[in-house]
Amino acid sequence: MELFQICSDEINKTFSGNDKMLTKIANKTLKVAVVGLGYVGLPLAVEFGRKFDVVGFDVKSSRLEMLRKGVDNTLESSPEDLRNAEKLRYS
């Protein structure tokens, strides 16, 4: 099951069907921010970046530079994963 579906199911359990967040998820207009692009943050940002507009923040400018080039030196995300996260931006 995709992370998107798991998150949608969990949100549906928590929020009513009329909630703005559910509408944004369904319409794929939700905007996501991930702070810290390490072992946990980067894979999360990459997965969300396949469906939603995501900004991934990190304090290391060298890390951001490498990610923009499609290289993850932690090896948590492959170059293909980074390419497929078309809606992911770095800051």
Side-chain angles (χ1 to χ4, degrees):
M1 184 179 284
E2 285 188 58
L3 177 62
F4 173 74
Q5 185 62 48
I6 293 169
C7 290
S8 293
D9 291 346
E10 289 302 313
I11 290 169
N12 280 328
K13 291 176 189 174
T14 307
F15 297 101
S16 69
N18 295 325
D19 190 85
K20 288 181 185 179
M21 184 181 288
L22 287 177
T23 302
K24 288 182 177 186
I25 290 170
N27 296 336
K28 296 187 176 137
T29 59
L30 184 71
K31 296 180 191 274
V32 178
V34 177
V35 179
L37 298 174
Y39 292 100
V40 174
L42 182 62
L44 184 65
V46 165
E47 194 62 34
F48 277 115
R50 294 174 190 262
K51 306 268 184 186
F52 302 106
D53 289 327
V54 176
V55 177
F57 295 94
D58 203 281
V59 295
K60 295 180 184 174
S61 59
S62 59
R63 173 102 170 114
L64 296 172
E65 189 176 320
M66 294 302 290
L67 290 172
R68 286 185 187 111
K69 292 178 182 177
V71 176
D72 171 26
N73 56 8
T74 66
L75 304 177
E76 292 298 314
S77 297
S78 69
E80 181 181 6
D81 289 337
L82 295 173
R83 275 192 308 276
N84 290 336
E86 294 177 355
K87 296 185 172 195
L88 173 59
R89 304 292 171 260
Y90 304 103
S91 182

